[in-house]
Amino acid sequence: MPKREETYMQAQRDAIARATLTVLLDKGLYATSLRDICRAAGISIGALYIHFRTKEEAVVAACALDCGIASG
């Protein structure tokens, strides 16, 4: 598998974080599943796991993005 550019990977991570925030605002923390996040982001579960190991990591990234804190 070819190595992806860092800018592409960061853009995909930010898009997942935005989708996570959208789902969280709609469903709440406990009702949000990884599948919900993937559906909102238009990605597979495998793609999500490339960027985040757990739902909690995605939630933290979403909160950081919402607060304007750089993630990475």
Side-chain angles (χ1 to χ4, degrees):
M1 186 165 139
K3 180 110 171 110
R4 301 282 177 141
E5 298 256 346
E6 184 61 34
T7 55
Y8 171 82
M9 295 301 282
Q10 188 60 47
Q12 190 173 33
R13 182 179 173 87
D14 290 347
I16 295 167
R18 276 191 215 80
T20 301
L21 185 59
T22 300
V23 175
L24 285 171
L25 292 172
D26 184 46
K27 292 185 140 196
L29 178 63
Y30 297 108
T32 296
S33 70
L34 289 176
R35 291 190 190 278
D36 295 329
I37 295 168
C38 290
R39 196 173 304 117
I43 60 168
S44 68
I45 291 279
L48 184 130
Y49 280 123
I50 288 172
H51 299 282
F52 303 104
R53 288 180 277 172
T54 64
K55 178 174 94 171
E56 289 75 18
E57 283 186 9
V59 168
V60 169
C63 292
L65 195 63
D66 188 48
C67 294
I69 301 169
S71 64

